[in-house]
Amino acid sequence: MKLSSFPLKSQFGAIFVASILSTVFMGNSHAQQSGLPINAAASVNGAIITNDMVEQGIKIAISQGQKDSPELRKVVVEKYVEVLLLSQRAEKDGLANSDKANTQLMLIRQNYLADLELSTYMAQNPVTDADIQAEYNKEISSLGAQGMIVEYKVSDIAVATEADAQAALARIKKGEPFDKVAKSVSLAPNKVQGGAVGWVQAGQVGPQIGAVLVNLSKGQVSQSPIQLQQGWYLVKLEDKKSSKPPTFEQAKAALRAGLTQRKQFEFISQLAKESKIIIQ
């Protein structure tokens, strides 16, 4: 395997750089006279690549589908050597103190610290099995007496004003196809698909649109424009279907992911409330 062909995603490359910035020790002060210091995998002009760094690289490679092997470990070490060679040359060429380098190094540090803070917070405030069970029970109880998941295949048109929405609705009532009107006037990115949204549940689209969806028949368009914070909407119910909800075990992974995302969002939102944020 060629070194240049080693599959590294951007996150992998960033972590390599961050690792070198935070973990490399200069050999003059740490190297033993007999060779490399303890826990060292390699040395490049006195800069040490530690075994801990290699293990971190292996974990990242495995997460990207690689299999642990002596060959993979060799490639990871070689990648660290490559990065060190290039970074050391950049230092000699005076690139390290450029505005571009300083900006990128600042971003690497900020992203690493942000990930570290978020992972620390989640370790201290984990999503428990009890949390997942409670969320599952809540969602099941929201299905009503029939206990079925109802999904709606929806298309929509989004415009800036009520007048624009009324004009679009008038065209539809005169017989013009909904998708044609959507392509003509909608401001949403899905206009190119004729306003197609896909399958959703009523609770996933906000209360204003959800309240309309549950009362529409297949093929019917909302009788009046719906006002949201983003603008005015027309919705069409393309189709409707019901299905049994997944079992707890089937839903567990998705529920855990959703609850984790919610916890992270709430944590970041709280930080934002406690901070002074100015956006140009």
Side-chain angles (χ1 to χ4, degrees), residues 140-180:
I140 291 297
S141 64
S142 70
L143 299 178
Q146 295 182 346
M148 299 290 285
I149 295 176
V150 182
E151 294 180 284
Y152 305 86
K153 189 177 183 181
V154 181
S155 295
D156 67 12
I157 295 173
V159 291
T161 67
E162 183 179 11
D164 291 338
Q166 291 287 6
L169 183 59
R171 291 170 60 179
I172 294 168
K173 287 182 176 179
K174 289 180 180 180
E176 196 167 349
F178 188 94
D179 61 342
K180 182 179 178 181

Side-chain angles (χ1 to χ4, degrees), residues 4 30-31 72 167 194 203 208 227 243 252 266 280:
S4 59
H30 292 80
L72 178 61
Q208 299 96 322
Q227 185 178 15
S243 59
K252 191 173 182 179
E266 290 172 350
Q280 183 69 24

Side-chain angles (χ1 to χ4, degrees), residues 12-124:
F12 198 9
I15 292 178
F16 264 122
V17 176
S19 297
I20 287 172
L21 290 174
S22 61
T23 320
V24 170
F25 301 97
M26 297 310 296
N28 289 340
S29 60
H30 292 80
Q32 299 171 346
Q33 291 182 354
S34 59
L36 293 175
I38 296 173
N39 197 35
S43 172
V44 180
N45 296 320
I48 300 302
I49 299 170
T50 69
N51 288 319
D52 291 339
M53 293 166 62
V54 175
E55 291 303 320
Q56 184 180 20
I58 292 294
K59 287 180 181 179
I60 296 168
I62 291 174
S63 73
Q64 296 176 3
Q66 302 292 314
K67 291 185 177 180
D68 193 356
S69 66
E71 291 78 15
L72 178 61
R73 291 177 176 273
K74 182 175 181 291
V75 171
V76 169
V77 172
E78 288 175 344
K79 186 61 186 179
Y80 276 119
V81 169
E82 178 187 281
V83 172
L84 272 174
L85 287 171
L86 290 170
S87 64
Q88 289 173 359
R89 183 55 183 262
E91 293 273 3
K92 290 181 179 180
D93 290 343
L95 301 178
N97 292 323
S98 66
D99 290 341
K100 184 176 182 179
N102 287 330
T103 298
Q104 290 301 315
L105 291 172
M106 177 188 69
L107 290 174
I108 289 171
R109 182 177 187 274
Q110 289 176 346
N111 286 329
Y112 173 77
L113 289 176
D115 289 342
L116 181 60
E117 175 62 27
L118 204 55
S119 61
T120 301
Y121 173 80
M122 291 307 302
Q124 296 172 347

